[in-house]
Amino acid sequence: MTVIYVPLISSRIMMRSLILLSQLFFYLLLLLYSQLASSSSSAPFCSQDQSIALLQFKQLFSFSNDVSFNCDEVDLHSYPKMESWKEGTDCCSWDGVTCDRMKRDVIGLDLSCSWLCGTIPFNSSLFLLPHLQWLNLASNNFSYSSISSRFGQFARLKHLDLSHSMFSGKVPLEISHLSQLASLDLSDYNSYLKLEASVVKRLVQNLTKLRELHLENVEMSSISLSSLMNLSSALTSITLNNCLLRGKLPDHIFRLPNLRELILTDNPELTWSFPMVNWSTPLRYLDVSRTIYSGELPKSIGKMKFMQHLFMSECKFNGSIPAWLGNLTQLIDLDLSINNFSGEMPSSISNLFVLSYFDLRSNNIQGKIHKHFWLLTCSPQLEIF
């Protein structure tokens, strides 16, 4: 019988070689993984042209903490965000700047409460940022300058906030070109801005994706209220207080299927009425104070089953406070002051267990307050005027 002998040393060498190869393969994989992780975490800087555009935009302004005083009053931290903008650094790391993670384009600019003092001229480098989707310039001081028509060229813009920043003059028609807008805020403390009828008409026609519209103190005296008939059905919040609106508000606004907040206060020549039939509403916040109604409290209010904040001061209501008001069991704030209500308080008011603010001043409520109402007033959180 022939015996084949394989030297032990050769098998050991082969085994050691396999171990070395497997270790080498493992280290190569580890090196490849670390390089991939490093490349993904250290994304390239934003493009040079966009960085330059932002730095040029910065040169338009001086900084003063006085101009953003309103931010601190509502616990919004104000500071000069642009001070972090330095040449030679990645603009995507600057305060107030948001970039697309993949392409590193500047897609968001939040300079609200940034102490800015200056103006934004037609040739501003701001308009060299074509990828912007969010732009917030609220609570600065733009020295009563006009809103440039070039704001209308941001085709991708979804959110535009120019509120409380001392712009003045006519709102340019080009704002209506921003068809992707989901929110628009042009509010101010004083009526320095004006919206003309032609612009409102185009806004209503083109901004079909709008969810929030805030125009507090924007002068709109020349518009026909019928132009508001076709407001976006996506709207959840509308603020039109102190806009000098005149005439009868279309009840279509109260039928908007997603509307949760509607503020119409301080339009003393505005009249309105709720839909009477086939109406339900998701409204949670309604303020029609200092508008005109004249008559008894409309029964349609009883259908507002989600209502939490209801302000109807100085609307020339008369008659008695109806018992069905007690059906609005989610009410937190109720203001019926400075009207002509008379009679006694209905006992059903005691159903408003979560009520924390109740104002009935300057009415003609007579007689004894029902004992059930006194149970309601025992709530330590309830303020009654």
PDB file of all heavy atoms in Angstrom, residues 103-122:
ATOM      1  N   LYS A 103     -27.723  69.021  -3.007  1.00  0.00           N
ATOM      2  CA  LYS A 103     -27.142  69.956  -3.966  1.00  0.00           C
ATOM      3  C   LYS A 103     -26.482  71.155  -3.313  1.00  0.00           C
ATOM      4  O   LYS A 103     -25.773  71.902  -3.980  1.00  0.00           O
ATOM      5  CB  LYS A 103     -28.236  70.426  -4.934  1.00  0.00           C
ATOM      6  CG  LYS A 103     -28.850  69.313  -5.758  1.00  0.00           C
ATOM      7  CD  LYS A 103     -29.917  69.857  -6.709  1.00  0.00           C
ATOM      8  CE  LYS A 103     -30.514  68.744  -7.546  1.00  0.00           C
ATOM      9  NZ  LYS A 103     -31.571  69.240  -8.462  1.00  0.00           N
ATOM     10  N   ARG A 104     -26.748  71.357  -2.010  1.00  0.00           N
ATOM     11  CA  ARG A 104     -26.173  72.474  -1.244  1.00  0.00           C
ATOM     12  C   ARG A 104     -26.612  73.828  -1.770  1.00  0.00           C
ATOM     13  O   ARG A 104     -25.919  74.828  -1.597  1.00  0.00           O
ATOM     14  CB  ARG A 104     -24.639  72.376  -1.227  1.00  0.00           C
ATOM     15  CG  ARG A 104     -24.099  71.050  -0.745  1.00  0.00           C
ATOM     16  CD  ARG A 104     -24.528  70.726   0.662  1.00  0.00           C
ATOM     17  NE  ARG A 104     -23.726  71.443   1.652  1.00  0.00           N
ATOM     18  CZ  ARG A 104     -23.986  71.417   2.950  1.00  0.00           C
ATOM     19  NH1 ARG A 104     -25.033  70.743   3.401  1.00  0.00           N
ATOM     20  NH2 ARG A 104     -23.221  72.079   3.792  1.00  0.00           N
ATOM     21  N   ASP A 105     -27.760  73.888  -2.410  1.00  0.00           N
ATOM     22  CA  ASP A 105     -28.343  75.175  -2.802  1.00  0.00           C
ATOM     23  C   ASP A 105     -29.013  75.818  -1.590  1.00  0.00           C
ATOM     24  O   ASP A 105     -29.560  75.115  -0.729  1.00  0.00           O
ATOM     25  CB  ASP A 105     -29.392  74.991  -3.907  1.00  0.00           C
ATOM     26  CG  ASP A 105     -28.770  74.587  -5.230  1.00  0.00           C
ATOM     27  OD1 ASP A 105     -27.696  75.134  -5.562  1.00  0.00           O
ATOM     28  OD2 ASP A 105     -29.347  73.735  -5.925  1.00  0.00           O
ATOM     29  N   VAL A 106     -28.996  77.134  -1.521  1.00  0.00           N
ATOM     30  CA  VAL A 106     -29.685  77.856  -0.456  1.00  0.00           C
ATOM     31  C   VAL A 106     -31.185  77.812  -0.744  1.00  0.00           C
ATOM     32  O   VAL A 106     -31.655  78.371  -1.737  1.00  0.00           O
ATOM     33  CB  VAL A 106     -29.197  79.311  -0.354  1.00  0.00           C
ATOM     34  CG1 VAL A 106     -30.000  80.067   0.707  1.00  0.00           C
ATOM     35  CG2 VAL A 106     -27.708  79.359  -0.015  1.00  0.00           C
ATOM     36  N   ILE A 107     -31.929  77.133   0.134  1.00  0.00           N
ATOM     37  CA  ILE A 107     -33.367  76.991  -0.079  1.00  0.00           C
ATOM     38  C   ILE A 107     -34.187  77.715   0.992  1.00  0.00           C
ATOM     39  O   ILE A 107     -35.401  77.872   0.837  1.00  0.00           O
ATOM     40  CB  ILE A 107     -33.794  75.507  -0.127  1.00  0.00           C
ATOM     41  CG1 ILE A 107     -33.423  74.798   1.182  1.00  0.00           C
ATOM     42  CG2 ILE A 107     -33.171  74.810  -1.317  1.00  0.00           C
ATOM     43  CD1 ILE A 107     -33.964  73.378   1.285  1.00  0.00           C
ATOM     44  N   GLY A 108     -33.532  78.149   2.072  1.00  0.00           N
ATOM     45  CA  GLY A 108     -34.262  78.840   3.135  1.00  0.00           C
ATOM     46  C   GLY A 108     -33.454  79.976   3.707  1.00  0.00           C
ATOM     47  O   GLY A 108     -32.235  79.872   3.886  1.00  0.00           O
ATOM     48  N   LEU A 109     -34.136  81.086   3.979  1.00  0.00           N
ATOM     49  CA  LEU A 109     -33.482  82.254   4.576  1.00  0.00           C
ATOM     50  C   LEU A 109     -34.419  82.811   5.639  1.00  0.00           C
ATOM     51  O   LEU A 109     -35.484  83.351   5.336  1.00  0.00           O
ATOM     52  CB  LEU A 109     -33.211  83.300   3.499  1.00  0.00           C
ATOM     53  CG  LEU A 109     -32.168  84.390   3.804  1.00  0.00           C
ATOM     54  CD1 LEU A 109     -30.835  83.768   4.184  1.00  0.00           C
ATOM     55  CD2 LEU A 109     -31.996  85.314   2.612  1.00  0.00           C
ATOM     56  N   ASP A 110     -34.036  82.647   6.906  1.00  0.00           N
ATOM     57  CA  ASP A 110     -34.825  83.158   8.023  1.00  0.00           C
ATOM     58  C   ASP A 110     -34.031  84.264   8.712  1.00  0.00           C
ATOM     59  O   ASP A 110     -33.160  84.005   9.530  1.00  0.00           O
ATOM     60  CB  ASP A 110     -35.148  82.045   9.016  1.00  0.00           C
ATOM     61  CG  ASP A 110     -35.988  82.538  10.199  1.00  0.00           C
ATOM     62  OD1 ASP A 110     -36.347  83.738  10.219  1.00  0.00           O
ATOM     63  OD2 ASP A 110     -36.285  81.731  11.094  1.00  0.00           O
ATOM     64  N   LEU A 111     -34.360  85.502   8.356  1.00  0.00           N
ATOM     65  CA  LEU A 111     -33.713  86.668   8.959  1.00  0.00           C
ATOM     66  C   LEU A 111     -34.699  87.451   9.811  1.00  0.00           C
ATOM     67  O   LEU A 111     -34.547  88.659  10.004  1.00  0.00           O
ATOM     68  CB  LEU A 111     -33.107  87.557   7.856  1.00  0.00           C
ATOM     69  CG  LEU A 111     -31.932  86.921   7.107  1.00  0.00           C
ATOM     70  CD1 LEU A 111     -31.490  87.805   5.945  1.00  0.00           C
ATOM     71  CD2 LEU A 111     -30.767  86.649   8.049  1.00  0.00           C
ATOM     72  N   SER A 112     -35.706  86.769  10.319  1.00  0.00           N
ATOM     73  CA  SER A 112     -36.650  87.426  11.222  1.00  0.00           C
ATOM     74  C   SER A 112     -35.923  87.824  12.502  1.00  0.00           C
ATOM     75  O   SER A 112     -34.983  87.162  12.936  1.00  0.00           O
ATOM     76  CB  SER A 112     -37.815  86.485  11.549  1.00  0.00           C
ATOM     77  OG  SER A 112     -37.345  85.297  12.170  1.00  0.00           O
ATOM     78  N   CYS A 113     -36.336  88.961  13.083  1.00  0.00           N
ATOM     79  CA  CYS A 113     -35.780  89.421  14.367  1.00  0.00           C
ATOM     80  C   CYS A 113     -34.260  89.553  14.310  1.00  0.00           C
ATOM     81  O   CYS A 113     -33.555  89.169  15.244  1.00  0.00           O
ATOM     82  CB  CYS A 113     -36.180  88.472  15.487  1.00  0.00           C
ATOM     83  SG  CYS A 113     -37.960  88.225  15.679  1.00  0.00           S
ATOM     84  N   SER A 114     -33.740  90.079  13.208  1.00  0.00           N
ATOM     85  CA  SER A 114     -32.288  90.115  12.992  1.00  0.00           C
ATOM     86  C   SER A 114     -31.689  91.512  13.058  1.00  0.00           C
ATOM     87  O   SER A 114     -30.560  91.710  12.622  1.00  0.00           O
ATOM     88  CB  SER A 114     -31.948  89.477  11.631  1.00  0.00           C
ATOM     89  OG  SER A 114     -32.212  88.101  11.637  1.00  0.00           O
ATOM     90  N   TRP A 115     -32.466  92.496  13.554  1.00  0.00           N
ATOM     91  CA  TRP A 115     -31.952  93.850  13.784  1.00  0.00           C
ATOM     92  C   TRP A 115     -31.618  94.588  12.486  1.00  0.00           C
ATOM     93  O   TRP A 115     -30.844  95.558  12.488  1.00  0.00           O
ATOM     94  CB  TRP A 115     -30.705  93.833  14.668  1.00  0.00           C
ATOM     95  CG  TRP A 115     -30.838  93.227  16.011  1.00  0.00           C
ATOM     96  CD1 TRP A 115     -31.878  92.482  16.498  1.00  0.00           C
ATOM     97  CD2 TRP A 115     -29.875  93.293  17.079  1.00  0.00           C
ATOM     98  NE1 TRP A 115     -31.625  92.088  17.783  1.00  0.00           N
ATOM     99  CE2 TRP A 115     -30.400  92.564  18.172  1.00  0.00           C
ATOM    100  CE3 TRP A 115     -28.626  93.882  17.215  1.00  0.00           C
ATOM    101  CZ2 TRP A 115     -29.722  92.419  19.379  1.00  0.00           C
ATOM    102  CZ3 TRP A 115     -27.948  93.727  18.408  1.00  0.00           C
ATOM    103  CH2 TRP A 115     -28.489  93.018  19.481  1.00  0.00           C
ATOM    104  N   LEU A 116     -32.176  94.173  11.354  1.00  0.00           N
ATOM    105  CA  LEU A 116     -31.777  94.752  10.072  1.00  0.00           C
ATOM    106  C   LEU A 116     -32.341  96.151   9.888  1.00  0.00           C
ATOM    107  O   LEU A 116     -33.535  96.390  10.078  1.00  0.00           O
ATOM    108  CB  LEU A 116     -32.255  93.871   8.917  1.00  0.00           C
ATOM    109  CG  LEU A 116     -31.783  92.410   8.901  1.00  0.00           C
ATOM    110  CD1 LEU A 116     -32.275  91.720   7.644  1.00  0.00           C
ATOM    111  CD2 LEU A 116     -30.273  92.328   9.018  1.00  0.00           C
ATOM    112  N   CYS A 117     -31.481  97.069   9.479  1.00  0.00           N
ATOM    113  CA  CYS A 117     -31.887  98.434   9.120  1.00  0.00           C
ATOM    114  C   CYS A 117     -31.351  98.731   7.730  1.00  0.00           C
ATOM    115  O   CYS A 117     -30.128  98.691   7.514  1.00  0.00           O
ATOM    116  CB  CYS A 117     -31.311  99.454  10.101  1.00  0.00           C
ATOM    117  SG  CYS A 117     -31.857  99.275  11.790  1.00  0.00           S
ATOM    118  N   GLY A 118     -32.248  99.023   6.797  1.00  0.00           N
ATOM    119  CA  GLY A 118     -31.817  99.299   5.431  1.00  0.00           C
ATOM    120  C   GLY A 118     -32.958  99.076   4.467  1.00  0.00           C
ATOM    121  O   GLY A 118     -34.121  99.022   4.864  1.00  0.00           O
ATOM    122  N   THR A 119     -32.641  98.957   3.202  1.00  0.00           N
ATOM    123  CA  THR A 119     -33.649  98.723   2.169  1.00  0.00           C
ATOM    124  C   THR A 119     -33.192  97.587   1.264  1.00  0.00           C
ATOM    125  O   THR A 119     -32.017  97.194   1.277  1.00  0.00           O
ATOM    126  CB  THR A 119     -33.890  99.982   1.314  1.00  0.00           C
ATOM    127  OG1 THR A 119     -32.671 100.332   0.634  1.00  0.00           O
ATOM    128  CG2 THR A 119     -34.332 101.151   2.180  1.00  0.00           C
ATOM    129  N   ILE A 120     -34.141  97.056   0.487  1.00  0.00           N
ATOM    130  CA  ILE A 120     -33.843  95.982  -0.468  1.00  0.00           C
ATOM    131  C   ILE A 120     -34.138  96.522  -1.864  1.00  0.00           C
ATOM    132  O   ILE A 120     -35.291  96.493  -2.318  1.00  0.00           O
ATOM    133  CB  ILE A 120     -34.682  94.726  -0.169  1.00  0.00           C
ATOM    134  CG1 ILE A 120     -34.450  94.271   1.277  1.00  0.00           C
ATOM    135  CG2 ILE A 120     -34.333  93.604  -1.137  1.00  0.00           C
ATOM    136  CD1 ILE A 120     -35.311  93.100   1.698  1.00  0.00           C
ATOM    137  N   PRO A 121     -33.137  97.034  -2.568  1.00  0.00           N
ATOM    138  CA  PRO A 121     -33.376  97.634  -3.878  1.00  0.00           C
ATOM    139  C   PRO A 121     -33.664  96.586  -4.949  1.00  0.00           C
ATOM    140  O   PRO A 121     -33.470  95.384  -4.747  1.00  0.00           O
ATOM    141  CB  PRO A 121     -32.058  98.370  -4.163  1.00  0.00           C
ATOM    142  CG  PRO A 121     -31.033  97.616  -3.391  1.00  0.00           C
ATOM    143  CD  PRO A 121     -31.720  97.133  -2.149  1.00  0.00           C
ATOM    144  N   PHE A 122     -34.084  97.066  -6.102  1.00  0.00           N
ATOM    145  CA  PHE A 122     -34.455  96.198  -7.220  1.00  0.00           C
ATOM    146  C   PHE A 122     -33.290  95.310  -7.645  1.00  0.00           C
ATOM    147  O   PHE A 122     -33.487  94.157  -8.046  1.00  0.00           O
ATOM    148  CB  PHE A 122     -34.933  97.058  -8.395  1.00  0.00           C
ATOM    149  CG  PHE A 122     -35.430  96.269  -9.569  1.00  0.00           C
ATOM    150  CD1 PHE A 122     -36.727  95.773  -9.598  1.00  0.00           C
ATOM    151  CD2 PHE A 122     -34.592  96.005 -10.656  1.00  0.00           C
ATOM    152  CE1 PHE A 122     -37.187  95.038 -10.681  1.00  0.00           C
ATOM    153  CE2 PHE A 122     -35.041  95.274 -11.746  1.00  0.00           C
ATOM    154  CZ  PHE A 122     -36.341  94.785 -11.756  1.00  0.00           C
TER     155      PHE A 122
END
